[in-house]
Amino acid sequence: MELILWWMPPALAIAAAIVVLLQLRARRTRRADTAEPRPIAHSDRLTALPEYRSAMRRYRGLLAAVTAAAGILAIAAALLASRPAAVSVQQPELATRDIVLCLDVSGSMVEYDAELVRVFGELTEQFTGERIALVVFNASAVTYFPLTNDYEYVQEQFDTVTDQFTNGEDAYFDGTFFGEGSSLVGDGLAACSLRFDAPDDDRSRSIILATDNLVVGDPIFTLTEAGQVAADRGIHVYGVNPGDTASRDYVEELAREFRTVVDATGGAYYSLDEPDAIESIVASITSEQATIVTGSPRLQLADQPAVPLAIAFFGLAGLMVLAWRVQR
Amino acid sequence: MTTLLRTVSTRLSIHAHRRVRGALEGEYTSVFHGRSTEFDDLRPYVPGDELKDIDWKATARVGAPMTRRYIASRKHTVMLVTDTGRGMAAIAAGGESKRDIGIAAAGTLAYLATRHGDLVGLVTGDADHTDYRRPESTDAHLERILQLMHHRTTLDSGASDLTRQLRYVARSFRRRMILLVIADDRPLGDAETALLRRLSVQHEVLWLTVGDADPMREEWERDRVYDVADGAALPPYLRSDPRLRAAFTAATADRSDNATRALDSLGISSQRIERTADVMPALFRLLEVHKHARR
């Protein structure tokens, strides 16, 4: 618990002291004209009575209660005026991520794509402010949906695309064949790099690029050039390569190129045999991102007026009732 | 200057047609002059005159009751014993200043006395000092002593302690006098009772109590009621307490009963007044009671 306006209590105390002093000074002169003075003699006729003493005790009790209520009210009000707030240390990390899922939808990759979409679908449920986009590419890239934090919509799209992946319906690769060849990874990565809007915002940008890097045809961007485009935009590229296995060493050269490009953007490279391994890969990507995007911790202040407000209310209520009793 | 004495004499003449003035004079005469032996003259009877002073032959001759007047064998001395402490500057039960009521009472008796050629002196003061004005019978003298009472009695005066003035009287005077003590609702202590017993043997003591104001008056609810003795205010919360009110009413009645009884047992005639209008009837009753008590 912290006070946002920490200088308020002493300032109020000083102000109160000044007001009290002025009141005391004004009182001497004011008293004469408001309340008519009635000098009487032998008030011991009254004050010597036992009933007077018990009435005096009651009066003192009431005055003490009034003072207490006024004090509580004053303290609670001063507390309210100084804005009590709960302090929490916020790491400006994962919540500011922008993630573009950049999936190669050539025939050999569909199985892995489906798994990636499933894992991110689960991950989305924990997202608080992260934005995610889905781009599929083959010969050309198609934005399945742009960067958004409308998780309901994202979930809906993930479900649709998963259906399409598993049923083998062709809708998911609609529009991905405009180009020379297939699996034009360089073009795909370059296209994904351009999907980040708001380039001036202080957000972390990453691309999950799933491809086996088996390029057929003539791309506009080579993978290396596309990696440079991503790096220029401060985008970390995380590569997931199902083709990079010992059993298929004919792709070793391609895999090495892929790894080099990805490492150059500050991302990481993962090779895998089984689609099941994707879950652990995504987890490691997430944790790696956490270490990268962790900025300086930020203090988050949230006003907490409820308790002093309740106390002030009861203080005021008590004061009014007691003051009425005294006045009566 | 509007004189205090003129105020007193004016009040007496206003009351003349009510026969109160005449009655009061008659009372004064019969109480203090009736016993003289040297015949002076005749005057019409006024209520209050001793019946035995009526000259029946003259009455038959004139056709109206005539009273014989006697030359006083010697001049009486009326000593006013009053209080100029701040207690006397407080408010009386009737709402006026106790001081003004005291002055009206002192002035009235003093005026009557000087009309009969008697001398009027004054012993006054507060807890700190006592003032004495030797007895004289001129109007100027009366005015001076009334003015003295008027100016000395303020809220800034010393504390009230009439016992001091009574002690002064007991110590200072050898001759027999008529004492008019103007007191207030103060309790009579043992020392004072002893003092009064001693004084009532030597002097004729008339006791007038100026009743003190009720601090619990409802119309004062919004006012600042305070005791002149120490300046301590009585909180409005306490003044409006009904239980306290009942207890106070009972205690006040008790207190004034006790005071009357104590004075009665000393053979001192006393009356309690609450306002200026009470002064003449109260003096009349006081003299009346005193006349019978003396027998």
Side-chain angles (χ1 to χ4, degrees):
Chain A
M1 194 64 77
E2 195 112 339
L3 299 179
I4 294 177
L5 309 176
W6 56 268
W7 45 266
M8 191 62 99
L12 286 177
I14 291 167
I18 290 170
V19 167
V20 165
L21 278 179
L22 289 177
Q23 281 290 315
L24 284 179
R25 190 166 295 175
R27 195 174 179 177
R28 283 194 201 101
T29 50
R30 191 156 42 94
R31 212 177 208 183
D33 43 18
T34 53
E36 186 128 356
R38 303 288 187 185
I40 56 137
H42 304 299
S43 63
D44 57 313
R45 288 172 298 160
L46 182 63
T47 54
L49 296 173
E51 286 85 351
Y52 182 86
R53 278 194 291 276
S54 66
M56 193 64 171
R57 265 197 302 280
R58 276 201 303 283
Y59 184 54
R60 290 228 171 93
L62 263 178
L63 284 189
V66 166
T67 312
I72 288 171
L73 176 59
I75 289 170
L79 211 57
L80 265 180
S82 27
R83 294 184 63 196
V87 181
S88 52
V89 180
Q90 201 87 30
Q91 295 283 7
E93 37 171 354
L94 303 173
T96 64
R97 286 184 298 169
D98 283 347
I99 301 166
V100 172
L101 289 180
C102 202
L103 306 181
D104 183 348
V105 288
S106 57
S108 56
M109 285 296 296
V110 168
E111 200 183 340
Y112 298 96
D113 291 343
E115 181 62 13
L116 258 176
V117 165
R118 191 188 65 76
V119 171
F120 268 93
E122 285 173 7
L123 213 57
T124 309
E125 288 167 15
Q126 300 158 24
F127 279 1
T128 53
E130 292 95 331
R131 297 193 303 166
I132 192 162
L134 177 60
V135 176
V136 293
F137 70 89
N138 195 349
S140 55
V142 169
T143 303
Y144 206 89
F145 59 85
L147 278 171
T148 179
N149 53 10
D150 182 351
Y151 303 125
E152 212 172 306
Y153 170 76
V154 168
Q155 209 66 53
E156 213 171 90
Q157 295 302 311
F158 277 167
D159 289 347
T160 312
V161 82
T162 304
D163 271 356
Q164 289 167 351
F165 283 151
T166 49
N167 297 345
E169 288 173 18
D170 52 2
Y172 67 89
F173 49 76
D174 277 357
T176 58
F177 294 117
F178 301 107
E180 304 287 320
S182 75
S183 271
L184 301 181
V185 179
D187 290 358
L189 180 57
C192 289
S193 301
L194 297 175
R195 291 300 175 269
F196 292 94
D197 51 358
D200 298 328
D201 280 10
D202 184 20
R203 301 177 73 86
S204 90
R205 297 173 179 82
S206 44
I207 292 171
I208 314 289
L209 178 61
T211 181
D212 50 11
N213 201 19
L214 285 173
V215 181
V216 179
D218 185 17
I220 301 167
F221 284 90
T222 64
L223 183 57
T224 317
E225 285 166 347
Q228 194 55 48
V229 170
D232 287 349
R233 285 170 166 69
I235 300 164
H236 302 287
V237 179
Y238 296 90
V240 178
N241 189 355
D244 183 12
T245 57
S247 57
R248 298 155 79 180
D249 49 344
Y250 62 97
V251 293
E252 198 187 331
E253 190 61 30
L254 299 173
R256 193 175 301 120
E257 183 198 10
F258 194 8
R259 178 189 286 269
T260 313
V261 167
V262 162
D263 285 347
T265 64
Y269 175 83
Y270 305 92
S271 63
L272 76 167
D273 283 331
E274 294 298 316
D276 297 347
I278 286 196
E279 189 149 5
S280 62
I281 288 173
V282 169
S284 82
I285 289 175
T286 307
S287 67
E288 187 170 355
Q289 278 180 328
T291 62
I292 291 168
V293 298
T294 301
S296 54
R298 262 203 323 233
L299 282 182
Q300 186 112 1
L301 295 173
D303 277 303
Q304 303 265 292
V307 174
L309 196 62
I311 294 173
F313 172 77
F314 285 115
L316 183 63
L319 186 64
M320 286 169 83
V321 169
L322 291 168
W324 170 74
R325 284 281 302 156
V326 172
Q327 276 293 314
R328 184 195 56 84
Chain B
M1 181 167 88
T2 337
T3 63
L4 294 168
L5 185 61
R6 186 176 299 155
T7 313
V8 169
S9 62
T10 306
R11 196 176 298 122
L12 269 171
S13 30
I14 288 169
H15 284 261
H17 69 279
R18 292 194 209 155
R19 296 157 49 128
V20 175
R21 179 195 180 186
L24 198 51
E25 285 207 44
E27 282 294 335
Y28 185 86
T29 313
S30 65
V31 171
F32 300 117
H33 291 265
R35 298 288 171 81
S36 169
T37 49
E38 273 180 77
F39 177 72
D40 184 9
D41 65 350
L42 287 168
R43 65 162 173 78
Y45 167 84
V46 289
D49 284 352
E50 287 278 338
L51 286 181
K52 66 177 183 185
D53 288 344
I54 294 178
D55 187 331
W56 296 106
K57 284 181 183 169
T59 301
R61 212 166 37 240
V62 175
M66 300 296 282
T67 308
R68 268 191 287 245
R69 288 216 288 192
Y70 298 88
I71 295 171
S73 50
R74 60 185 171 90
K75 286 183 172 177
H76 286 299
T77 301
V78 173
M79 188 60 69
L80 305 170
V81 183
T82 68
D83 173 9
T84 58
R86 55 178 178 267
M88 220 47 196
I91 301 176
E96 294 161 273
S97 165
K98 284 161 69 182
R99 175 191 66 184
D100 295 344
I101 300 174
I103 288 173
T108 304
L109 193 76
Y111 184 75
L112 288 174
T114 52
R115 291 307 91 124
H116 287 82
D118 290 340
L119 303 169
V120 178
L122 173 71
V123 173
T124 195
D126 52 35
D128 304 322
H129 68 278
T130 300
D131 262 313
Y132 169 59
R133 292 289 180 274
R134 64 178 61 258
E136 286 178 39
S137 65
T138 62
D139 283 356
H141 171 70
L142 284 196
E143 181 62 28
R144 273 197 300 276
I145 62 175
L146 295 182
Q147 289 289 354
L148 178 74
M149 287 169 63
H150 188 269
H151 289 300
R152 283 283 166 78
T153 315
T154 64
L155 290 171
D156 303 322
S157 307
S160 287
D161 186 9
L162 196 59
T163 314
R164 235 186 111 99
Q165 281 72 52
L166 291 171
R167 197 169 289 134
Y168 180 90
V169 172
R171 206 172 49 229
S172 311
F173 304 115
R174 289 276 157 78
R175 72 198 132 139
R176 187 174 177 81
M177 298 185 300
I178 301 161
L179 298 183
L180 176 66
V181 183
I182 298 175
D184 58 9
D185 273 332
R186 56 208 288 274
L188 286 178
D190 289 342
E192 192 161 22
T193 310
L195 192 59
L196 283 174
R197 182 171 292 119
R198 142 93 176 74
L199 283 172
S200 64
V201 171
Q202 184 184 355
H203 307 289
E204 308 212 22
V205 183
L206 303 175
W207 189 281
L208 211 51
T209 300
V210 180
D212 272 303
D214 171 5
M216 298 183 81
R217 274 190 192 208
E218 268 175 45
E219 65 261 37
W220 287 358
E221 208 173 322
R222 300 268 161 231
D223 300 343
R224 194 169 71 90
V225 177
Y226 68 98
D227 193 318
V228 289
D230 49 10
L234 299 171
Y237 175 81
L238 297 173
R239 286 190 270 126
S240 56
D241 189 307
R243 255 180 296 174
L244 190 55
R245 155 97 270 163
F248 176 70
T249 309
T252 313
D254 262 12
R255 185 152 161 160
S256 86
D257 279 357
N258 286 342
T260 311
R261 210 170 302 126
L263 290 169
D264 278 352
S265 71
L266 294 171
I268 296 174
S269 316
S270 68
Q271 285 292 318
R272 188 169 187 273
I273 53 178
E274 299 192 337
R275 51 186 67 78
T276 315
D278 290 346
V279 166
M280 260 179 288
L283 277 177
F284 179 79
R285 276 198 306 280
L286 190 60
L287 293 170
E288 180 83 29
V289 170
H290 186 69
K291 181 169 71 184
H292 296 301
R294 214 165 43 165
R295 303 266 149 84

